[in-house]
């Protein structure tokens, strides 16, 4: 998961920048979302038989410094099975 906050009023520009980024390989799924305060979130789903969240996967880069208010935040998660009653 990749999240950045645009400089006030530049949320649409950051959103378009994120949409235009090409990764070294395509994920199974990619979703781009926006939130209040000019935030943009990109979630990608990958097939990772080994390595889980530590696997070597392509990442979106940092946007230009004048487009964002702080460094990009990145998180990696892995799916876990949900068991009934647990």
């Amino acid at each position: 998961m990749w999240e950045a906050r645009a400089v006030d009023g530049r949320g649409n520009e950051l959103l378009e920048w994120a949409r235009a980024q090409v990764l070294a390989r395509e994920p199974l799924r990619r979703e781009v979302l926006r939130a209040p305060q000019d935030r943009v979130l990109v979630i990608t789903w990958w097939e990772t038989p080994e390595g889980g969240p530590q696997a070597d996967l392509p990442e979106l880069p940092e946007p230009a410094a004048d487009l964002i208010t702080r460094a990009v935040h990145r998180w990696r998660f892995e799916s876990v099975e949900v068991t009934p009653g647990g």
Side-chain angles (χ1 to χ4, degrees):
M1 188 168 76
W2 178 101
E3 185 262 341
R5 184 174 177 188
V7 171
D8 286 341
R10 296 185 69 187
N12 285 337
E13 188 177 344
L14 179 60
L15 179 65
E16 291 308 314
W17 179 91
R19 285 179 171 163
Q21 296 308 298
V22 177
L23 297 171
R25 63 183 204 265
E26 284 297 308
L28 296 173
R29 179 177 166 195
R30 178 174 170 168
E31 192 168 341
V32 180
L33 304 106
R34 76 168 110 204
Q37 299 178 323
D38 291 318
R39 295 177 194 273
V40 174
L41 178 70
V42 179
I43 302 173
T44 53
W45 284 260
W46 300 91
E47 185 67 44
T48 58
E50 295 181 25
Q54 304 306 318
D56 184 23
L57 299 171
E59 295 273 0
L60 268 70
E62 293 274 331
D66 66 340
L67 182 58
I68 56 177
T69 60
R70 57 167 170 72
V72 168
H73 292 175
R74 293 177 175 89
W75 300 273
R76 287 201 176 177
F77 300 91
E78 64 182 313
S79 293
V80 294
E81 289 185 38
V82 176
T83 56

